[in-house]
Amino acid sequence: QVQLMESGGGLVQPGGSLRLSCAASRVRFSIYVMGWYRQAPGKQREVVASITYGGSTVYADSVKGRFTISRDNADNKVYLQMNSLKPEDTAVYFCNVGGPSGDWGQGTQVTVSS
């Protein structure tokens, strides 16, 4: 069974930064696209960013220029560096492998508030 463990969430003021980490185990990390999704209260889960094994990235328009996804294939980890955070970035952030029908972590809360 695939295991994904997120960390790095928390409370931050608008304009601040956070770095989310996701450690993957029991998965052939090298063959999968990894992604970060988020779900705000009362809203549907949405994709934030994704990255292929080779490092090609795709971002949601709402985070372009502010968020950076990266991966360490040697350690089976994926990261999300979030800068210039806004209150509307407040959500539970989920690590994902294999797309919407794939596997998910338990999520980590990110709250952007003054």
Side-chain angles (χ1 to χ4, degrees):
Q1 182 177 358
V2 173
Q3 292 185 340
L4 300 171
M5 183 65 69
E6 301 100 335
S7 61
L11 172 65
V12 64
Q13 292 187 343
S17 298
L18 283 174
R19 188 189 193 213
L20 305 183
S21 300
C22 173
S25 59
R26 302 179 183 179
V27 62
R28 290 180 61 189
F29 191 75
S30 63
I31 68 172
Y32 286 106
V33 174
M34 300 296 297
W36 286 96
Y37 289 68
R38 67 186 180 187
Q39 187 165 19
K43 294 188 177 181
Q44 290 189 332
R45 191 171 297 188
E46 62 177 1
V47 62
V48 175
S50 63
I51 186 168
T52 67
Y53 179 77
S56 296
T57 57
V58 178
Y59 295 94
D61 288 343
S62 59
V63 306
K64 281 180 182 177
R66 301 188 297 121
F67 291 10
T68 303
I69 189 171
S70 60
R71 63 192 288 168
D72 183 337
N73 293 326
D75 283 341
N76 284 8
K77 291 183 178 179
V78 62
Y79 304 97
L80 187 68
Q81 177 66 43
M82 304 185 295
N83 299 328
S84 302
L85 282 160
K86 304 175 180 179
E88 51 263 43
D89 294 318
T90 296
V92 178
Y93 284 70
F94 297 90
C95 180
N96 169 269
V97 59
S101 60
D103 294 285
W104 300 88
Q106 82 289 350
T108 184
Q109 177 70 47
V110 171
T111 302
V112 184
S113 175
S114 56

